[in-house]
Amino acid sequence: MNFTQIKNLEEKYYSQVFSRHPVCAVKGRGMYVWDSSGEKYLDMFAGIAVNALGHCHPAHVLAIKKQAETLIHTSNYLYTTPQLELAELLTKISGMDRVFFSNDGTEAVEAAVKLARSATGKKEVIAMKGGFHGRSMGALGLTWSEKFRHPFEPLVPGMSFVDYDNAGKLEKAITKNTAAVILEPIQGEAGVILPKDGYLKEVRKICDDNNVLMIADEVQTGFGRTGKMFACEHENVTPDIMCVAKGLGGGFPIGAALFRGIDFGRGQHGGTFVGSPLACAASKAVIETIIKDKLVENSAKTGKSLMDRLASEGMRVHGRGLMIGIDVADGKKTVLDLIEKKVLTINSENTVRVLPPLIIEKEHADIFVSKIKELKDERKI
Ligand SMILES: *Cc1c(COP(=O)(O)O)cnc(C)c1O
């Protein structure tokens, strides 16, 4: 099938809900993706911060193969060891004490909010302006963007917003009915927005002082993305509930709510597919490889040098580790211009988001910088 035929199929049979890049991916290896006409692209967004080990990493593929040959699904009526081994590993690296698995980030947020309500007996959750937590009817109530929310109202009651990176406004917004505060340690979909140093610590203190749970949505920032295993570690903050997903499965769908000091009552939550042996085996291989190959350290180091070099080329960059935003005049156009140069990124409005696999090496960063430079020299940026 050529690209025109592929496009026609999509237009005819698939919901027209997605705005896609003009590329049909057919194969991936490491830092690269190949399209239907055999062109090779440098992947600098990792399927939205998901392919932590790049594409088809041997350890990931082997774990999936082995588990697929052994046991794929049984439901949570039965015990399965990949689930419990992954749960143990996650608590060890996060400082939390229990895990509930989900199928994605949105469901991790749903679990977190249900847990916050049931554990505190309070109803209200405060989220942040600019924040993104998913698009289900529950998570959407915590997602700021008007264009995502408006057509689907009324949403779940009891959810409100305050300014991000403003501890004073948060403190004022808390009432005796506040169950939890939810926030991203760095806002991702908003365009890689970093709060001031010390903000997360202040949020932690406000939550402690008011007996309110702190939910850190690390769906995008988790597993080394920002140069620490979890972004809250930059400020030595431990939330009460942490939501994770994206990088966790390295491309195999899985998410989790991690929590400490609280738990669901038996039967309060569930899911047919959650924590399947296959998803958990895939995910365990991802985390073990991140640790063994020191990919968190690589994220910090390569991310910093990439940001420094982009800045020295006169680009307006902001971010941490391998979660980088570049502010440009026209975000969408720059992403398309980069695709012409065989580099894949995404944009939030006029911020190009650079979220490469954590396996990125200097040679890949060099290619990216040189392509950005070309765009500048051509006066396209
Ligand atoms: C992507 C994202 C979600 C939603 O995760 P899905 O896996 O798409 O459901 C939630 N929170 C944050 C911070 C995200 O970046």
Side-chain angles (χ1 to χ4, degrees), residues 236-333:
N236 293 317
V237 162
T238 310
D240 301 292
I241 308 177
M242 187 192 289
C243 301
V244 295
K246 293 197 164 87
L248 172 61
F252 203 102
I254 183 169
L258 321 179
F259 35 89
R260 62 188 177 109
I262 48 177
D263 194 2
F264 283 113
R266 212 173 282 286
Q268 278 192 332
H269 200 40
T272 302
F273 297 107
V274 297
S276 84
L278 190 53
C280 291
S283 181
K284 185 160 166 271
V286 172
I287 296 173
E288 285 173 350
T289 305
I290 287 175
I291 295 168
K292 180 167 82 54
D293 293 350
K294 300 199 171 7
L295 298 181
V296 180
E297 293 82 346
N298 186 53
S299 171
K301 191 183 95 202
T302 308
K304 171 139 194 355
S305 82
L306 182 54
M307 280 219 310
D308 288 348
R309 289 169 64 199
L310 290 166
S312 72
E313 294 299 333
M315 307 302 302
R316 284 182 294 154
V317 287
H318 43 98
R320 205 153 206 183
L322 291 170
M323 186 167 176
I324 300 173
I326 308 175
D327 296 337
V328 296
D330 185 338
K332 175 89 203 179
K333 186 174 169 301

XYZ file of all heavy atoms in Angstrom, residues 236-333:
701
model
N 12.967 16.077 46.533
C 12.854 15.136 47.649
C 11.445 15.078 48.229
O 11.270 15.031 49.448
C 13.846 15.489 48.760
C 15.265 15.288 48.305
O 15.577 14.281 47.658
N 16.121 16.252 48.588
N 10.456 15.126 47.370
C 9.065 15.086 47.813
C 8.491 13.705 47.516
O 8.725 13.145 46.444
C 8.250 16.181 47.082
C 6.760 15.902 47.156
C 8.581 17.549 47.666
N 7.778 13.143 48.493
C 7.064 11.891 48.262
C 5.571 12.179 48.333
O 5.087 12.650 49.364
C 7.433 10.833 49.325
O 8.849 10.766 49.418
C 6.906 9.467 48.927
N 4.843 11.945 47.254
C 3.391 12.179 47.294
C 2.700 11.064 48.067
O 3.329 10.083 48.461
C 3.003 12.145 45.813
C 4.027 11.268 45.174
C 5.305 11.437 45.955
N 1.406 11.210 48.281
C 0.631 10.132 48.903
C 0.155 9.141 47.855
O 0.025 7.953 48.121
C -0.585 10.719 49.636
C -0.141 11.705 50.695
O 0.467 11.256 51.675
O -0.350 12.925 50.503
N -0.116 9.662 46.659
C -0.508 8.816 45.530
C 0.292 9.294 44.316
O 0.452 10.499 44.115
C -2.015 8.921 45.194
C -2.880 8.686 46.443
C -2.385 7.945 44.082
C -4.391 8.836 46.199
N 0.820 8.335 43.565
C 1.562 8.685 42.354
C 0.939 7.928 41.184
O 0.698 6.722 41.284
C 3.027 8.274 42.521
C 3.933 8.739 41.408
S 5.553 7.952 41.462
C 6.275 8.692 42.882
N 0.641 8.652 40.109
C 0.112 8.010 38.901
C 1.243 7.858 37.901
O 1.988 8.819 37.663
C -0.985 8.862 38.280
S -2.363 9.160 39.392
N 1.362 6.686 37.328
C 2.394 6.451 36.311
C 1.770 5.702 35.131
O 0.717 5.082 35.264
C 3.591 5.639 36.874
C 4.326 6.428 37.940
C 3.156 4.280 37.411
N 2.406 5.799 33.995
C 1.975 5.019 32.809
C 3.044 5.165 31.734
O 4.103 4.565 31.860
C 0.610 5.464 32.297
N 2.778 6.001 30.746
C 3.622 6.189 29.557
C 4.903 5.331 29.508
O 4.910 4.291 28.884
C 3.923 7.660 29.356
C 2.639 8.436 28.983
C 2.895 9.787 28.373
C 1.691 10.354 27.671
N 0.762 11.115 28.495
N 5.997 5.766 30.126
C 7.259 5.035 30.010
C 7.233 3.663 30.659
O 8.049 2.794 30.341
N 6.297 3.452 31.564
C 6.275 2.219 32.370
C 6.296 0.952 31.528
O 7.059 0.033 31.818
C 5.041 2.239 33.300
C 4.700 0.976 34.091
C 5.833 0.582 35.031
C 3.416 1.189 34.908
N 5.481 0.878 30.504
C 5.436 -0.341 29.695
C 6.338 -0.293 28.481
O 6.435 -1.264 27.737
N 6.990 0.835 28.262
C 7.879 0.989 27.117
C 7.165 0.813 25.785
O 7.790 0.573 24.756
N 5.820 0.905 25.787
C 5.049 0.726 24.570
C 3.971 -0.325 24.764
O 3.009 -0.387 24.007
N 4.124 -1.173 25.781
C 3.044 -2.102 26.123
C 2.095 -1.360 27.053
O 2.544 -0.785 28.041
C 3.594 -3.368 26.797
C 2.661 -4.516 26.650
C 2.898 -5.509 25.719
C 1.491 -4.572 27.414
C 1.989 -6.543 25.550
C 0.589 -5.608 27.238
C 0.830 -6.602 26.317
N 0.796 -1.318 26.745
C -0.104 -0.503 27.572
C -0.171 -0.977 29.026
O -0.508 -2.131 29.290
C -1.472 -0.688 26.894
C -1.173 -1.167 25.520
C 0.103 -1.956 25.628
N 0.171 -0.089 29.922
C 0.036 -0.352 31.363
C 0.198 0.978 32.100
O 0.939 1.858 31.648
C 1.080 -1.388 31.874
C 0.857 -1.687 33.363
C 2.517 -0.926 31.613
C 1.667 -2.876 33.890
N -0.503 1.105 33.206
C -0.345 2.250 34.089
C -0.460 1.758 35.513
O -0.690 0.568 35.750
N -0.284 2.657 36.457
C -0.439 2.260 37.854
C -0.693 3.477 38.721
O -0.212 4.571 38.432
C 0.811 1.532 38.358
N -1.474 3.259 39.777
C -1.532 4.212 40.882
C -0.734 3.572 42.007
O -0.964 2.409 42.358
C -2.974 4.460 41.301
N 0.261 4.309 42.530
C 1.063 3.841 43.664
C 0.647 4.692 44.854
O 0.413 5.890 44.702
C 2.553 4.032 43.398
C 3.106 3.757 41.989
C 4.607 4.037 41.949
C 2.840 2.333 41.590
N 0.578 4.098 46.028
C 0.146 4.902 47.179
C 0.780 4.398 48.459
O 1.345 3.310 48.507
C -1.389 4.909 47.286
C -2.062 3.623 46.884
C -2.294 2.611 47.794
C -2.463 3.422 45.555
C -2.926 1.435 47.411
C -3.087 2.235 45.169
C -3.317 1.242 46.101
N 0.712 5.244 49.480
C 1.265 4.849 50.782
C 0.338 5.335 51.886
O -0.262 6.407 51.789
C 2.679 5.393 50.972
C 2.752 6.885 50.955
C 4.193 7.365 50.954
N 4.182 8.814 50.858
C 4.509 9.625 51.873
N 4.872 9.142 53.032
N 4.451 10.928 51.705
N 0.212 4.517 52.919
C -0.591 4.877 54.081
C -2.088 4.729 53.881
O -2.865 4.922 54.818
N -2.528 4.411 52.690
C -3.956 4.247 52.390
C -4.112 3.065 51.441
O -3.132 2.596 50.866
C -4.560 5.510 51.706
C -3.655 5.970 50.547
C -4.788 6.632 52.702
C -4.201 7.154 49.763
N -5.325 2.600 51.287
C -5.593 1.532 50.308
C -7.094 1.511 50.018
O -7.891 2.040 50.803
C -5.150 0.174 50.866
C -5.073 -0.918 49.791
O -5.319 -0.620 48.598
O -4.763 -2.075 50.140
N -7.453 0.907 48.921
C -8.862 0.640 48.626
C -9.389 -0.404 49.606
O -8.634 -1.261 50.067
C -9.006 0.047 47.211
C -8.889 1.052 46.101
C -7.809 1.020 45.230
C -9.868 2.014 45.912
C -7.703 1.918 44.187
C -9.778 2.928 44.870
C -8.692 2.874 44.011
N -10.681 -0.366 49.867
C -11.325 -1.490 50.527
C -11.550 -2.589 49.496
O -11.621 -2.305 48.291
N -11.650 -3.824 49.947
C -11.834 -4.930 49.013
C -13.079 -4.706 48.148
O -14.129 -4.346 48.670
C -11.947 -6.250 49.789
C -11.393 -7.429 49.031
C -11.344 -8.693 49.859
N -10.231 -8.785 50.807
C -8.961 -9.022 50.456
N -8.621 -9.169 49.199
N -8.023 -9.087 51.376
N -12.920 -4.857 46.842
C -14.051 -4.711 45.922
C -14.333 -3.287 45.474
O -15.212 -3.067 44.641
N -13.589 -2.310 46.016
C -13.900 -0.908 45.663
C -13.476 -0.515 44.247
O -13.913 0.504 43.734
C -13.221 0.041 46.659
C -13.991 0.207 47.944
C -13.449 1.363 48.761
O -12.266 1.704 48.667
N -14.303 1.958 49.573
N -12.562 -1.250 43.663
C -12.110 -0.894 42.319
C -11.676 -2.183 41.628
O -11.510 -3.213 42.289
C -10.961 0.123 42.402
C -10.746 0.888 41.127
N -11.776 1.346 40.349
C -9.607 1.262 40.475
C -11.285 1.984 39.281
N -9.974 1.939 39.339
N -11.492 -2.132 40.318
C -11.103 -3.361 39.631
C -10.858 -3.136 38.163
O -10.670 -1.997 37.720
N -10.861 -4.217 37.408
C -10.612 -4.137 35.970
C -10.250 -5.516 35.441
O -9.406 -6.189 36.031
N -10.889 -5.901 34.332
C -10.652 -7.240 33.776
C -9.188 -7.435 33.386
O -8.590 -8.469 33.651
C -11.536 -7.443 32.520
O -12.896 -7.254 32.902
C -11.348 -8.826 31.920
N -8.620 -6.415 32.744
C -7.291 -6.583 32.146
C -6.145 -6.087 33.018
O -4.983 -6.307 32.685
C -7.243 -5.818 30.807
C -8.213 -6.348 29.788
C -9.358 -5.644 29.461
C -7.980 -7.568 29.167
C -10.251 -6.129 28.521
C -8.870 -8.067 28.224
C -10.012 -7.356 27.905
N -6.457 -5.374 34.089
C -5.394 -4.643 34.794
C -4.355 -5.576 35.413
O -4.685 -6.580 36.025
C -5.968 -3.686 35.865
C -6.815 -2.618 35.198
C -6.765 -4.414 36.939
N -3.090 -5.224 35.210
C -1.991 -5.994 35.789
C -1.834 -7.361 35.159
O -1.456 -8.320 35.842
N -2.085 -7.471 33.855
C -1.992 -8.789 33.202
C -0.543 -9.274 33.221
O 0.392 -8.477 33.255
C -2.486 -8.714 31.765
O -1.454 -8.266 30.909
N -0.359 -10.599 33.211
C 1.011 -11.131 33.225
C 1.852 -10.562 32.083
O 3.025 -10.229 32.279
C 0.819 -12.641 33.053
C -0.589 -12.918 33.446
C -1.379 -11.661 33.215
N 1.253 -10.428 30.907
C 2.016 -9.959 29.745
C 2.454 -8.504 29.926
O 3.632 -8.169 29.734
C 1.170 -10.122 28.481
C 1.881 -9.916 27.150
C 3.131 -10.779 27.040
C 0.934 -10.217 25.992
N 1.518 -7.654 30.327
C 1.864 -6.244 30.530
C 2.922 -6.103 31.626
O 3.867 -5.316 31.502
C 0.609 -5.446 30.900
N 2.769 -6.862 32.692
C 3.694 -6.717 33.830
C 5.079 -7.262 33.503
O 6.084 -6.688 33.921
C 3.107 -7.383 35.070
S 1.660 -6.490 35.693
N 5.143 -8.348 32.741
C 6.453 -8.882 32.350
C 7.171 -7.882 31.439
O 8.381 -7.645 31.581
C 6.288 -10.227 31.651
N 6.429 -7.288 30.508
C 7.014 -6.290 29.600
C 7.551 -5.115 30.411
O 8.678 -4.643 30.203
C 5.968 -5.809 28.604
N 6.753 -4.666 31.344
C 7.090 -3.505 32.133
C 8.286 -3.748 33.054
O 9.143 -2.885 33.235
C 5.846 -3.129 32.935
O 6.089 -2.023 33.689
N 8.337 -4.940 33.625
C 9.457 -5.278 34.508
C 10.765 -5.236 33.718
O 11.777 -4.719 34.206
C 9.227 -6.670 35.108
C 10.248 -7.101 36.124
C 9.690 -8.224 37.002
C 10.763 -8.915 37.803
N 11.381 -10.057 37.080
N 10.746 -5.726 32.488
C 11.949 -5.682 31.655
C 12.349 -4.235 31.378
O 13.546 -3.897 31.357
C 11.702 -6.420 30.342
N 11.370 -3.357 31.195
C 11.677 -1.941 30.941
C 12.388 -1.334 32.146
O 13.461 -0.726 32.020
C 10.389 -1.135 30.624
C 10.683 0.363 30.552
C 9.772 -1.615 29.314
N 11.800 -1.513 33.318
C 12.389 -0.878 34.511
C 13.762 -1.470 34.823
O 14.707 -0.736 35.136
C 11.446 -1.020 35.716
C 10.155 -0.256 35.425
C 12.092 -0.479 36.985
C 9.101 -0.468 36.454
N 13.884 -2.782 34.708
C 15.188 -3.402 34.983
C 16.251 -2.892 34.012
O 17.397 -2.666 34.405
C 15.069 -4.932 34.923
C 14.367 -5.480 36.160
C 14.054 -6.976 36.101
O 14.213 -7.582 35.006
O 13.640 -7.528 37.130
N 15.864 -2.700 32.765
C 16.837 -2.199 31.790
C 17.177 -0.732 32.060
O 18.344 -0.334 31.932
C 16.286 -2.380 30.347
O 15.950 -3.753 30.161
C 17.318 -1.977 29.309
N 16.180 0.052 32.432
C 16.455 1.458 32.779
C 17.498 1.518 33.897
O 18.446 2.314 33.848
C 15.150 2.184 33.206
C 14.257 2.435 31.984
C 15.459 3.505 33.926
C 12.890 3.035 32.300
N 17.346 0.634 34.885
C 18.284 0.640 36.016
C 19.649 0.098 35.578
O 20.683 0.731 35.809
C 17.710 -0.182 37.193
C 16.450 0.499 37.735
C 18.756 -0.370 38.297
C 15.633 -0.346 38.708
N 19.650 -1.068 34.923
C 20.906 -1.739 34.551
C 21.746 -0.868 33.610
O 22.955 -0.762 33.768
C 20.587 -3.081 33.876
C 21.815 -3.883 33.446
C 21.468 -5.308 33.079
C 20.926 -5.517 31.681
N 21.675 -5.031 30.549
N 21.108 -0.230 32.646
C 21.845 0.557 31.659
C 21.996 2.031 32.049
O 22.402 2.851 31.223
C 21.171 0.440 30.277
C 21.287 -0.972 29.710
O 22.035 -1.787 30.289
O 20.622 -1.264 28.688
N 21.638 2.340 33.294
C 21.788 3.709 33.821
C 21.141 4.758 32.911
O 21.749 5.792 32.581
C 23.277 4.035 34.035
C 23.989 3.119 35.023
C 25.262 3.770 35.513
C 25.962 3.064 36.675
N 25.464 1.772 37.123
N 19.919 4.480 32.512
C 19.249 5.379 31.573
C 18.728 6.647 32.245
O 18.528 7.664 31.575
C 18.128 4.629 30.838
C 18.594 3.448 29.970
C 17.415 2.798 29.263
C 19.655 3.877 28.951
N 18.519 6.581 33.565
C 18.112 7.804 34.268
C 19.275 8.805 34.224
O 19.096 9.990 33.924
C 17.697 7.505 35.721
C 17.280 8.784 36.433
C 16.570 6.476 35.765
N 20.468 8.294 34.472
C 21.668 9.132 34.410
C 21.865 9.662 32.986
O 22.213 10.829 32.778
C 22.907 8.328 34.847
C 22.913 7.922 36.319
C 22.086 6.655 36.630
O 21.276 6.198 35.778
O 22.236 6.135 37.749
N 21.621 8.797 32.012
C 21.760 9.238 30.615
C 20.766 10.355 30.287
O 21.093 11.303 29.573
C 21.552 8.065 29.659
C 21.839 8.452 28.221
O 22.905 8.987 27.912
N 20.870 8.255 27.338
N 19.557 10.224 30.840
C 18.539 11.242 30.603
C 19.009 12.596 31.134
O 18.900 13.624 30.462
C 17.232 10.810 31.272
O 16.284 11.839 31.239
N 19.565 12.580 32.359
C 20.046 13.832 32.962
C 21.175 14.423 32.124
O 21.170 15.620 31.798
C 20.519 13.572 34.398
N 22.132 13.558 31.753
C 23.339 14.038 31.085
C 23.073 14.458 29.635
O 23.382 15.588 29.229
C 24.395 12.909 31.124
C 25.777 13.335 30.716
C 26.743 12.166 30.709
C 26.804 11.637 29.309
N 27.242 10.294 29.081
N 22.472 13.554 28.875
C 22.231 13.855 27.464
C 21.189 14.963 27.324
O 21.293 15.817 26.437
C 21.807 12.579 26.711
O 22.780 11.567 26.982
C 21.714 12.805 25.213
N 20.203 14.959 28.220
C 19.191 16.013 28.187
C 19.813 17.377 28.414
O 19.527 18.341 27.695
N 20.700 17.451 29.412
C 21.323 18.745 29.720
C 22.181 19.219 28.554
O 22.102 20.391 28.139
C 22.164 18.636 31.000
C 23.020 19.865 31.265
C 23.037 20.239 32.720
C 23.575 21.630 33.022
N 24.111 22.430 31.934
N 22.989 18.312 27.996
C 23.869 18.773 26.915
C 23.039 19.151 25.676
O 23.357 20.128 24.990
C 24.962 17.745 26.601
O 24.481 16.743 25.758
N 21.954 18.428 25.440
C 21.090 18.772 24.306
C 20.463 20.160 24.512
O 20.460 21.001 23.597
C 20.005 17.704 24.144
C 19.020 17.849 22.982
C 19.733 18.001 21.649
C 18.070 16.654 22.929
N 19.973 20.407 25.724
C 19.370 21.725 26.000
C 20.397 22.839 25.861
O 20.107 23.893 25.286
C 18.765 21.752 27.405
C 17.418 21.102 27.456
S 16.219 21.943 28.511
C 17.060 22.157 29.992
N 21.599 22.596 26.408
C 22.658 23.617 26.325
C 22.988 23.938 24.871
O 23.166 25.106 24.499
C 23.932 23.145 27.044
C 23.759 23.140 28.554
O 22.749 23.709 29.040
O 24.613 22.552 29.264
N 23.075 22.893 24.055
C 23.455 23.115 22.656
C 22.345 23.827 21.878
O 22.608 24.698 21.051
C 23.835 21.792 22.003
C 25.173 21.294 22.555
C 25.452 19.894 22.151
N 25.604 19.775 20.708
C 25.502 18.624 20.048
N 25.219 17.503 20.692
N 25.688 18.589 18.759
N 21.100 23.461 22.169
C 19.991 24.157 21.505
C 19.967 25.624 21.917
O 19.750 26.517 21.087
C 18.659 23.476 21.849
C 18.450 22.089 21.226
C 17.277 21.367 21.884
C 18.233 22.185 19.710
N 20.238 25.862 23.205
C 20.266 27.252 23.688
C 21.391 28.024 23.008
O 21.209 29.179 22.605
C 20.432 27.275 25.204
N 22.544 27.363 22.828
C 23.669 28.080 22.213
C 23.425 28.320 20.723
O 24.071 29.175 20.114
C 24.991 27.344 22.455
O 25.026 26.182 21.673
N 22.467 27.585 20.143
C 22.049 27.878 18.764
C 20.993 28.975 18.731
O 20.388 29.251 17.681
C 21.467 26.630 18.085
C 22.462 25.504 17.845
C 23.615 25.915 16.945
O 23.424 26.829 16.120
O 24.712 25.354 17.091
N 20.710 29.555 19.886
C 19.750 30.648 19.944
C 18.298 30.197 20.075
O 17.375 30.997 19.906
N 18.083 28.901 20.386
C 16.711 28.416 20.533
C 16.209 28.726 21.948
O 16.989 28.733 22.897
C 16.635 26.897 20.312
C 17.238 26.408 19.010
S 16.504 27.150 17.539
C 14.801 26.686 17.742
N 14.917 28.974 22.059
C 14.324 29.180 23.382
C 13.889 27.821 23.944
O 12.866 27.277 23.525
C 13.155 30.158 23.302
C 13.656 31.615 23.155
C 12.516 32.581 23.120
N 11.732 32.359 21.915
C 10.438 32.646 21.784
N 9.775 33.157 22.781
N 9.817 32.436 20.648
N 14.709 27.264 24.819
C 14.460 25.911 25.342
C 14.146 25.949 26.829
O 14.646 26.799 27.564
C 15.671 24.967 25.141
C 15.817 24.562 23.699
C 16.955 25.557 25.677
N 13.308 25.012 27.264
C 13.037 24.833 28.677
C 12.732 23.367 28.909
O 12.186 22.693 28.022
C 11.877 25.719 29.149
C 10.708 25.754 28.206
N 9.584 24.984 28.381
C 10.505 26.445 27.047
C 8.729 25.223 27.387
N 9.273 26.098 26.556
N 13.094 22.862 30.073
C 12.817 21.464 30.350
C 13.773 20.900 31.355
O 14.518 21.652 32.014
N 13.742 19.601 31.476
C 14.584 18.909 32.441
C 14.815 17.495 31.922
O 13.856 16.846 31.491
C 13.852 18.855 33.774
C 14.755 18.721 34.943
C 14.106 19.314 36.173
N 15.151 19.741 37.076
C 14.927 20.259 38.270
N 13.707 20.436 38.702
N 15.934 20.602 39.044
N 16.072 17.039 31.971
C 16.376 15.708 31.447
C 15.977 15.643 29.984
O 16.273 16.551 29.198
N 15.267 14.583 29.632
C 14.842 14.403 28.240
C 13.381 14.809 28.035
O 12.678 14.242 27.206
C 15.088 12.959 27.798
C 16.572 12.590 27.662
C 16.752 11.095 27.458
C 17.255 13.373 26.537
N 12.938 15.790 28.822
C 11.610 16.384 28.638
C 11.850 17.852 28.311
O 12.062 18.677 29.200
C 10.799 16.218 29.919
C 9.358 16.652 29.816
S 8.455 16.040 31.260
C 6.845 16.769 30.960
N 11.877 18.148 27.007
C 12.369 19.444 26.552
C 11.333 20.126 25.664
O 10.728 19.489 24.804
C 13.702 19.254 25.764
C 14.760 18.602 26.670
C 14.207 20.591 25.216
C 16.041 18.214 25.943
N 11.129 21.413 25.888
C 10.264 22.212 25.029
C 11.095 23.265 24.319
O 11.998 23.853 24.903
N 10.810 23.475 23.030
C 11.473 24.532 22.265
C 10.382 25.468 21.761
O 9.499 25.040 21.008
C 12.231 23.963 21.043
C 13.172 22.812 21.455
C 13.008 25.064 20.329
C 13.844 22.128 20.258
N 10.412 26.721 22.170
C 9.387 27.680 21.748
C 9.739 28.237 20.372
O 10.857 28.712 20.166
C 9.263 28.811 22.773
C 8.775 28.289 24.113
O 8.137 27.204 24.131
O 9.036 28.938 25.139
N 8.784 28.137 19.467
C 9.002 28.596 18.088
C 7.817 29.465 17.658
O 6.826 29.579 18.378
C 9.154 27.388 17.119
C 10.387 26.571 17.449
C 7.909 26.511 17.130
N 7.917 30.051 16.469
C 6.844 30.930 15.998
C 5.587 30.123 15.649
O 4.467 30.539 15.946
C 7.319 31.722 14.782
N 5.769 28.965 15.013
C 4.635 28.138 14.588
C 4.974 26.667 14.865
O 5.698 26.025 14.094
C 4.382 28.380 13.093
C 3.144 27.650 12.591
O 2.720 26.646 13.228
O 2.594 28.065 11.563
N 4.457 26.161 15.977
C 4.821 24.818 16.453
C 4.488 23.721 15.459
O 5.306 22.854 15.147
N 3.277 23.783 14.935
C 2.814 22.749 14.004
C 3.699 22.716 12.751
O 4.107 21.659 12.278
C 1.355 23.067 13.631
C 0.735 22.189 12.601
C 0.070 20.971 13.239
C -0.029 19.878 12.218
N -0.570 18.653 12.513
N 4.014 23.919 12.234
C 4.818 24.011 11.011
C 6.237 23.485 11.265
O 6.797 22.778 10.423
C 4.847 25.455 10.518
C 5.527 25.593 9.178
C 5.442 26.994 8.625
C 6.360 27.130 7.427
N 7.773 26.851 7.714
